[in-house]
Amino acid sequence: MSRIVTFGEIMGRLMTPGYQRFQQAMPGMLKVTFAGAEASIAASIAYLGGEAALVTALPKHAVADACIANLRSLGVDTSHILRTDEGRLGLYFVESGVNQRPGNVIYDREGASIAITPPEAYDWDAILSGAEWFVISGITPALSQNAATVTRSALQAATHRGLQVALDMNYRSKLWQWDPTQAPRELAMRTMRELLPSVDLFVGGMEDLIALLHVSDSTPPEALARLLVERFPRLQRVALTLRDGSSATHQNFGGLLYEHARNEIHHAPKQAVHYAIAHVVDRLGAGDAFTAGLLFALTTPELQDPSMAIQFATAAGCLAHSIEGDFNFSTREEISDLMAGGMAGRVLR
């Protein structure tokens, strides 16, 4: 079994009940869970039966203890999580979208432990021992200039040790604020271009690639994937989520994987152009589920074929839309059934 190490923030997620606005729900009760792109990827891989570890920094208090206990309960290796005297647990607040009203996220992450902990605090020799994959996202370097520096340091350590590196783009315009001389998108794209020469697998959406490559938004996804590899030759695979929808609660979801060694493009799902998701329960975390599904497949012998891997990843991302919270509690059997054309909403008795 391949060991996959993810590096990034885990935080508290506070969500309004049902489809209430913030003003309706507060004062009152919010649902509290734990979230974060890299944590979500690790949790989903572990839930599927893979070996995943999360590296992060958390303060020394009982809420962070609960956060770590939650990860452990899912099978995530938390032995390399740093506990810090300074910094805090980041938070974000969620208001679900419905019909034509979009969802809304408010971040409260400034001063989080991972944003202020310096690079030398991490023992990368111990952290990466026995690992085959190292996973980051575009969210952690968005938190602070220090977090961007730590991410670069971590990538150097991973590539020096011969690990394969996966980067999930995850552009968040509200987070990229640490350089006031640059607009958020410009800062994000500049930072990502600095990281991409060390990356083997890129995961993102169409808008991410269009911004990275400065090309027309009418460029086909297949051409975008090939252009990215031309720009960053270390890349061996480019995976894209393909999404469109008529409303916040009705989405069409598909996936694409470009395999550079074979110069092949693989689409998913197999049975249709896309999965038609008529009722989105929770969209947040679906991209993380896609990334986790792809990494799990690529490290599982019977799923490693590129066509099979993207089918598995896309089915995992589809099912994540049916589960409240960032973590994907879909089983391998459920994902495989959906790949095969089953799981049409029947009751399993």
Side-chain angles (χ1 to χ4, degrees):
M1 183 181 293
S2 298
R3 183 168 181 264
I4 300 170
V5 176
T6 68
F7 170 67
E9 186 179 22
I10 184 166
M11 57 188 166
R13 166 178 152 153
L14 294 88
M15 183 176 180
T16 62
Y19 297 107
Q20 288 186 9
R21 309 302 302 265
F22 289 124
Q23 290 85 349
Q24 292 176 288
M26 297 184 289
M29 297 178 64
L30 299 176
K31 295 181 182 180
V32 180
T33 54
F34 296 109
E38 300 86 353
S40 181
I41 291 168
S44 297
I45 291 170
Y47 194 76
L48 289 170
E51 185 179 348
L54 175 68
V55 181
T56 190
L58 289 172
K60 296 175 181 176
H61 57 52
V63 178
D65 292 344
C67 176
I68 292 172
N70 182 226
L71 288 171
R72 285 177 179 160
S73 73
L74 299 173
V76 176
D77 177 3
T78 62
S79 61
H80 295 292
I81 292 179
L82 302 182
R83 306 305 298 273
T84 61
D85 293 317
E86 297 182 350
R88 55 180 288 256
L89 178 73
L91 302 173
Y92 83 105
F93 299 82
V94 183
E95 184 183 86
S96 290
V98 61
N99 298 327
Q100 278 65 42
R101 172 165 62 83
N104 187 25
V105 168
I106 296 174
Y107 293 114
D108 179 18
R109 302 166 77 167
E110 188 171 355
S113 293
I114 195 171
I116 65 173
T117 300
E120 58 270 19
Y122 298 90
D123 182 356
W124 292 112
D125 283 329
I127 290 167
L128 299 175
S129 177
E132 293 188 25
W133 279 90
F134 184 66
V135 184
I136 60 169
S137 85
I139 293 179
T140 300
L143 298 176
S144 68
Q145 188 168 11
N146 175 73
T149 300
V150 176
T151 303
R152 282 191 288 269
S153 175
L155 277 187
Q156 290 172 1
T159 55
H160 178 71
R161 290 161 179 78
L163 274 68
Q164 296 187 78
V165 174
L167 185 151
D168 191 339
M169 182 69 180
N170 269 327
Y171 172 68
R172 301 289 184 265
S173 61
K174 292 181 179 181
L175 291 179
W176 288 94
Q177 306 291 333
W178 52 261
D179 185 346
T181 68
Q182 294 190 72
R185 182 171 287 277
E186 292 172 359
L187 178 60
M189 295 307 126
R190 187 199 80 192
T191 306
M192 289 298 101
R193 292 186 191 109
E194 292 172 356
L195 300 177
L196 273 165
S198 300
V199 173
D200 301 277
L201 166 65
F202 174 90
V203 183
M206 291 280 289
E207 291 182 358
D208 298 330
L209 283 191
I210 289 166
L212 272 170
L213 296 168
H214 290 300
V215 295
S216 165
D217 57 10
S218 63
T219 307
E222 298 85 354
L224 288 172
R226 288 189 169 98
L227 283 170
L228 189 69
V229 173
E230 288 178 14
R231 178 82 177 269
F232 302 99
R234 177 173 168 137
L235 283 171
Q236 295 302 308
R237 300 181 180 97
V238 176
L240 299 178
T241 54
L242 306 176
R243 178 192 293 277
D244 67 81
S246 57
S247 73
T249 39
H250 189 163
Q251 297 279 304
N252 297 320
F253 187 78
L256 175 153
L257 177 64
Y258 172 54
E259 188 82 2
H260 176 56
R262 306 182 192 180
N263 192 28
E264 292 178 351
I265 297 282
H266 303 275
H267 289 269
K270 210 168 200 177
Q271 298 85 3
V273 176
H274 53 246
Y275 289 115
I277 305 170
H279 176 69
V280 174
V281 172
D282 192 334
R283 175 172 167 172
L284 300 182
D288 304 330
F290 174 90
T291 301
L294 182 59
L295 288 165
F296 178 79
L298 291 173
T299 55
T300 302
E302 62 270 27
L303 297 172
Q304 282 180 337
D305 178 79
S307 178
M308 181 70 72
I310 191 61
Q311 300 293 330
F312 190 90
T314 306
C318 172
L319 287 175
H321 288 80
S322 70
I323 297 170
E324 189 174 283
D326 276 38
F327 297 171
N328 186 16
F329 292 96
S330 299
T331 67
R332 180 173 173 179
E333 181 181 12
E334 289 169 339
I335 294 168
S336 296
D337 283 348
L338 181 57
M339 289 168 61
M343 297 287 289
R346 67 186 185 279
V347 178
L348 302 179
R349 303 176 188 269

